[in-house]
Amino acid sequence: QRYLPPHLDESSHSFIIALNSEFKGGGTYIHELERVLSPTVGGMVSFEGGSLLHSGDPVVSGIRYCIVAFCYIDNVREQTAKTAEVEKDNNTNAPFSFGFQFG
């Protein structure tokens, strides 16, 4: 991909790790800052992808290699803790208890 239009990610945090420098252009344009962020090789750009409008600045020559990763925060921690307490109350002899919720 040579370009990404302005967007928000579905993640809570987004990470871009630069793997090379043999290209022109490229980088992550942060609209609020009105500038392109281009880390050095091995460097990383990290931001709140779901709330910060950003785009991929066009690569005009060469090939830009990067690793893009996303983190998601699951908001069921409180419910999981409640499930764990119920399990603990039901199994007082158990050395530990835990709970999972999917959905």
Side-chain angles (χ1 to χ4, degrees):
Q1 250 176 315
R2 291 211 171 274
Y3 167 78
L4 277 175
H7 64 280
L8 296 175
D9 296 332
E10 293 181 13
S11 62
S12 58
H13 291 82
S14 301
F15 305 88
I16 300 140
I17 302 169
L19 299 179
N20 72 322
S21 61
E22 296 79 25
F23 61 91
K24 298 254 189 270
T28 303
Y29 184 80
I30 305 295
H31 293 261
E32 188 174 313
L33 299 176
E34 297 182 350
R35 65 179 288 206
V36 175
L37 302 179
S38 296
T40 58
V41 175
M44 177 179 69
V45 173
S46 174
F47 54 92
E48 293 183 11
S51 61
L52 191 62
L53 185 66
H54 60 284
S55 54
D57 206 43
V59 175
V60 294
S61 70
I63 298 174
R64 176 184 180 215
Y65 293 100
C66 57
I67 296 173
V68 179
F70 306 98
C71 289
Y72 301 86
I73 295 175
D74 192 349
N75 293 324
V76 298
R77 181 184 305 171
E78 186 175 314
Q79 289 183 359
T80 301
K82 288 178 186 176
T83 302
E85 283 300 314
V86 169
E87 290 293 321
K88 182 178 178 184
D89 291 342
N90 291 338
N91 296 309
T92 55
N93 295 331
F96 62 90
S97 62
F98 57 92
F100 296 97
Q101 180 173 341
F102 298 97

